[in-house]
Amino acid sequence: MALLPYAVSFIIAVLLTSLSYFLGSRIFTNGIAMWQAVVIGASVVSLGAIAEALGLPIWLIVLIPFPVGMLLLFLFLHQPLYIWFITYLIILAIYSLIHVIGSYFFEFHSLIPAWKLS
């Protein structure tokens, strides 16, 4: 895989993931700062990309980023557990919508840039 197209895909994936965390946190709470959303997005996408590069099974590639995103959101949000949980569900819904749109219209996998869409 060429480095520049992968880097662009990686940056787009981080930005889209960050956007879902930022918007999702603003719907139900005062939200997290944009820099916090970018930290979460970069962490989640990086872990997924590293897991994919190591050749881990698909279920593990998908599973590994979740606890990190959840923990970082909890730490940054400063809200009770039930509010964090509802906020996380909203974020997942927004992320899923972004992912479906990106996949359908742009043939772009917004979680793991190296994955090819069929």
Side-chain angles (χ1 to χ4, degrees):
M1 170 178 290
L3 187 57
L4 186 59
Y6 182 82
V8 170
S9 294
F10 182 85
I11 291 168
I12 292 169
V14 168
L15 292 175
L16 291 176
T17 303
S18 301
L19 181 66
S20 67
Y21 274 89
F22 182 75
L23 294 176
S25 71
R26 297 280 172 176
I27 289 174
F28 195 65
T29 68
N30 289 335
I32 58 176
M34 187 53 138
W35 72 268
Q36 294 170 322
V38 172
V39 167
I40 297 171
S43 299
V44 168
V45 173
S46 295
L47 281 172
I50 290 168
E52 189 274 335
L54 292 173
L56 297 177
I58 189 76
W59 65 269
L60 200 50
I61 294 170
V62 172
L63 181 67
I64 286 175
F66 276 98
V68 172
M70 294 168 84
L71 177 63
L72 288 173
L73 178 66
F74 183 75
L75 294 174
F76 289 147
L77 198 57
H78 302 292
Q79 296 290 333
L81 195 58
Y82 76 95
I83 292 176
W84 162 81
F85 183 72
I86 293 168
T87 302
Y88 192 74
L89 291 178
I90 292 168
I91 289 167
L92 285 179
I94 291 171
Y95 176 81
S96 297
L97 181 64
I98 289 172
H99 179 74
V100 167
I101 292 169
S103 297
Y104 183 78
F105 290 108
F106 304 107
E107 296 183 6
F108 180 76
H109 195 295
S110 58
L111 177 60
I112 311 296
W115 283 359
K116 301 293 182 212
L117 295 174
S118 55

